[in-house]
Amino acid sequence: MWALGDYPTLAAEIIPDLGRTLVEATGVKPGDRVLDIAAGAGNAAIAAALAGAKVVASDLTPELLEAGREDAARRGADLEWREADAEALPFADAEFDAVLSCVGIMFAPHHRPAADELLRVCRPGGAIGLLNWTPEGFIGRMFAVMRPYAPPPPPGAQPPPLWGDPEHVRSLLGDKVTDITIDRRTVRVDAFDGPEDFREYFKTRYGPTIAVYQHIADDPDKVVALDQALADLARDHDHGTSTLAMNWEYLLVTTHRRP
């Protein structure tokens, strides 16, 4: 799904600063061994490498890793890129000083094994940083709008925006972490001329949206209904004047693996 469209361009154009926000909040410092889980094209991984960390960017989608390699080379960032499943990471126990994920691990379908793997590869006392869209925020609501039109999820899969629910994250991390901090924040998105411009952009670049439209391609009535629903969603979140301006809410979680 994530090879559909052009997620690297979307991330660079729409949410370029979220990776750096996560790296700074987590306290990544030069020399740290850092893992970015479900890194995509490296929004957080490249920021961590530029901060002087020794970084591994892992993702299940080879096309995103290749885009990340090219972007890292252009920006002078040196890091390792590894194809890996967030639910079965190919790394040793306690291998990393810091483990991050920026709107990435939330899309692993089974939350418990993904969380267990995140905790396993972080050393005792190591830092953990997560940045995920909330259920109540714009992207969470967008997934709710698309759900009736989407193909059935894998067996046992949980909705991605649950990773943006504080109680869900606390339950996943449990007593294996200490001094957890949870903060709701927003990112200003003003790259679109209007609601329809937003919809068409996501229809051609965002893998989950493309997959939903492919699923209903043979039902013109559903396509029209989803077109309207997505435009209405953007319109409901518009705080701009002459152009569309939205505040997308995310949950920023920082904590440490319990020693």
Side-chain angles (χ1 to χ4, degrees):
M1 179 179 70
W2 290 101
L4 299 172
D6 187 358
Y7 183 74
T9 295
L10 184 152
E13 292 180 347
I14 308 303
I15 52 170
D17 297 327
L18 288 192
R20 186 171 67 252
T21 295
L22 178 61
V23 168
E24 292 174 353
T26 309
V28 171
K29 59 187 183 297
D32 280 351
R33 298 165 299 160
V34 175
L35 174 65
D36 185 4
I37 299 176
N43 196 339
I46 293 174
L50 292 173
K54 300 174 182 178
V55 181
V56 177
S58 67
D59 198 276
L60 195 59
T61 307
E63 293 87 348
L64 297 183
L65 295 176
E66 184 56 35
R69 287 190 188 95
E70 295 173 1
D71 187 32
R74 285 192 297 268
R75 298 169 62 182
D78 183 20
L79 63 156
E80 181 183 351
W81 301 85
R82 290 281 300 275
E83 188 173 339
D85 184 346
E87 297 179 11
L89 294 170
F91 306 111
D93 294 356
E95 185 171 342
F96 298 96
D97 299 309
V99 181
L100 313 176
S101 190
C102 183
V103 294
I105 197 172
M106 64 182 292
F107 293 102
H110 306 102
H111 297 185
R112 169 54 60 196
D116 288 346
E117 283 292 272
L118 179 155
L119 292 162
R120 179 183 66 80
V121 300
C122 185
R123 68 165 176 81
I128 294 170
L130 303 170
L131 192 158
N132 295 310
W133 303 119
T134 66
E136 304 87 358
F138 180 83
I139 295 296
R141 289 191 59 194
M142 185 181 76
F143 274 91
V145 165
M146 294 193 300
R147 189 176 301 124
Y149 305 92
Q158 295 172 279
L162 275 179
W163 274 91
D165 177 88
E167 292 311 309
H168 185 68
V169 174
R170 287 183 187 275
S171 72
L172 290 174
L173 301 180
D175 61 2
K176 295 182 179 180
V177 299
T178 184
D179 63 296
I180 188 169
T181 299
I182 298 178
D183 188 19
R184 288 182 185 268
R185 299 187 183 182
T186 60
V187 58
R188 185 76 163 179
V189 177
D190 54 8
F192 307 110
D193 291 333
E196 290 75 18
D197 184 35
F198 151 77
R199 181 193 66 212
E200 295 306 311
Y201 185 97
F202 267 63
K203 283 177 69 172
T204 57
R205 289 172 177 82
Y206 193 56
T209 306
I210 295 169
V212 171
Y213 273 98
Q214 287 182 344
H215 183 64
I216 61 173
D218 294 332
D219 191 329
D221 290 340
K222 287 185 177 180
V223 171
V224 169
L226 182 55
D227 277 350
Q228 187 63 53
L230 289 175
D232 287 344
L233 178 67
R235 193 171 289 109
D236 289 344
H237 283 75
D238 184 14
H239 299 286
T241 53
S242 58
T243 60
L244 182 68
M246 300 176 283
N247 296 319
W248 294 2
E249 185 182 66
Y250 62 86
L251 199 73
L252 179 63
V253 179
T254 56
T255 187
H256 290 84
R257 182 76 161 86
R258 187 175 295 278

